Amino acid sequence: MKKVVIFSISEDTEEIRALLQTLGMEVIKEFVQNRSRPHRESFLGPGRIDEILKEMEEMEVDLIVVNGVLKPSQHHFLEMKFQMECADRTGVILRIFTDHAHTPEAIAQVTLAKLRYELPFLREWIHKSKSGDRPGFLSGGAYATDVYFEHAKTHARRIEADLSDVSKQREVTRTRRREKGYSLVSLAGYTNAGKSALMNKLCNAGVEVDDRLFSTLSTTTRRISGIKGNILMSDTVGFIRDLPPDLINAFNSTLEEIFDADLILLIFDASESDDVVKSKLSTSLKILVPKIENRSIVAIGNKIDLLSQESRVGITVLIKPIIQPYDLILISSATGEGLDQLRERILMVQGHTCVIEAEMPLTDAVYSLLSRIRSSSEVSMKVIRRHAAVIVRCKPEDSERIVGWLNAAGAAKITTNAESPEMPPERETPSSGNEGAPL
Ligand SMILES: Nc1nc2c(ncn2[C@@H]2O[C@H](COP(=O)(O)OP(=O)(O)OP(=O)(O)O)[C@@H](O)[C@H]2O)c(=O)[nH]1
Ligand SMILES: [Mg+2]
């Protein structure tokens, strides 16, 4: 088992510990130096680094893990100072991804993410290469690193092209599903929130459920069982805070499956402390909202079997303002509580073929109108200054009534697309897809 020490500028090391535990590494000591921001050169500060260096002389350590994002110059400094391999939080996450990637698409995405992550470190290494061999995984001296750098750039370009093909293929698959009358519900949320457990409960999917972080890296799509309707569900990679945009973008072909769904279920672990729930939900919303182009979201608080009645009320009060204007449903994937309400909500996506777009002033009356519409239709909303751009997806027979309400509430620029695609007959055993296999 690899022995690790953690360097951190805050006491909050719970998540990095969980990440290291997922990797099967043993944390033998944490060195915390409380600071508002990392020291420019040494992350923890030069005085503290010298103390730690002395202390570590007596210890057997294989890896230093920094609880934060390292700049290439800080990474270089720490490795040279300690003559030891050093990884930051993103590097740790990438190691987990590497261990858990088993499908060709996931392997390509992880390889691309790693190449993009390593390139700035390599550049730094080349810049300072005269000083000797790097103790870690890029060892081999200046010439070898230079060659690797060129090779890495070419390799990254090739994978980008392959993944762009996968992305196009997935889009074709999604369009074909829609043409056949299938709706797609996707599961999004922080890693370990219970997405796969919910998928198994609703679809008998047999997806891996585990207390480790990032158990799921690739996409599984299955039909939701036990409800009338052609509704598919996709489970895929979870979110985590502070991931560099480049790394998230490497997973685009997978994430598009979430972003392009008819309904997105944003799962969170309702049994965690208030602060953790808030921060994980905010991270998830920050990743989701810019990408979803007004698609509908419902927030799903999972693991309520671990909560008292009182805490359930508390979590509702805490969460409502954060997820506004989206709905909240509390469930337990373990006991099945709340799943009937969730199924009812999911069923609403079927048959909502009419799309109404409108611009609304943001008043209390409009908020209550939107929640009235939401009881029978999908509503999504983007706030632009004091106005809301609203999209309603509803059954064609409801459209006239809803347009009337919107007009009465002072909506402007109302447009309606009332096409109703022909629905295919329901199939008992539809093909189900894994890794974007065509449905
Ligand atoms: N008590 C309780 N535990 C749950 C519930 N749902 C999931 N879990 C547990 O939470 C852990 C994570 O569940 P997963 O379904 O693997 O979570 P995930 O969101 O798919 O996680 P990643 O794929 O790693 O991103 C597992 O240990 C599950 O057994 C629930 O409703 N109640
Ligand atoms: Mg999972």
Side-chain angles (χ1 to χ4, degrees), residues 196 208 215-216 235:
S196 301
E208 185 185 0
S215 307
T216 310
D235 173 34

Side-chain angles (χ1 to χ4, degrees), residues 15-34:
E15 188 163 84
I16 192 78
R17 279 177 169 273
L19 289 165
L20 291 167
Q21 194 182 346
T22 296
L23 276 175
M25 293 184 178
E26 184 192 359
V27 177
I28 55 170
K29 181 137 186 149
E30 272 178 23
F31 294 102
V32 177
Q33 175 72 24
N34 283 307

Side-chain angles (χ1 to χ4, degrees), residues 140-161:
Y143 176 71
T145 317
D146 218 357
V147 170
Y148 181 76
F149 186 69
E150 282 313 309
H151 172 73
K153 280 203 296 193
T154 318
H155 195 182
R157 275 197 293 271
R158 207 174 319 128
I159 298 174
E160 275 161 8

Side-chain angles (χ1 to χ4, degrees), residues 94-194:
L94 280 171
R95 285 173 197 225
I96 297 175
F97 281 9
T98 308
D99 285 357
H100 295 185
H102 302 303
T103 60
E105 184 183 2
I107 292 167
Q109 288 169 329
V110 173
T111 310
L112 179 61
K114 264 169 65 181
L115 287 168
R116 283 180 179 166
Y117 168 74
E118 282 172 7
L119 280 175
F121 291 98
L122 273 166
R123 214 172 275 132
E124 180 73 16
W125 189 246
I126 290 168
H127 184 61
K128 296 192 170 138
S129 59
K130 306 256 173 332
S131 43
D133 278 0
R134 182 175 184 275
F137 63 117
L138 297 174
S139 56
Y143 176 71
T145 317
D146 218 357
V147 170
Y148 181 76
F149 186 69
E150 282 313 309
H151 172 73
K153 280 203 296 193
T154 318
H155 195 182
R157 275 197 293 271
R158 207 174 319 128
I159 298 174
E160 275 161 8
D162 288 349
L163 284 173
S164 151
D165 289 346
V166 172
S167 186
K168 280 181 203 140
Q169 182 52 46
R170 275 185 183 281
E171 203 177 327
V172 170
T173 306
R174 283 194 294 271
T175 307
R176 218 160 48 199
R177 284 180 195 148
R178 285 210 169 95
E179 284 168 0
K180 287 180 177 173
Y182 282 89
S183 306
L184 180 66
V185 176
S186 66
L187 297 170
Y190 215 82
T191 179
N192 217 38

Side-chain angles (χ1 to χ4, degrees), residues 100 187-200 207-217 235-239 267 269 271 301-306 331-337:
H100 295 185
L187 297 170
Y190 215 82
T191 179
N192 217 38
K195 300 177 293 299
S196 301
L198 178 58
M199 171 92 172
N200 286 346
V207 181
E208 185 185 0
V209 170
D210 202 303
D211 210 12
R212 296 175 313 164
L213 306 186
F214 297 108
S215 307
T216 310
L217 276 199
D235 173 34
T236 186
V237 64
F239 303 147
I267 322 290
D269 180 346
S271 73
N302 188 31
K303 309 195 191 181
I304 57 160
D305 52 294
L306 302 173
I331 64 154
S332 162
S333 300
T335 64
E337 204 183 338

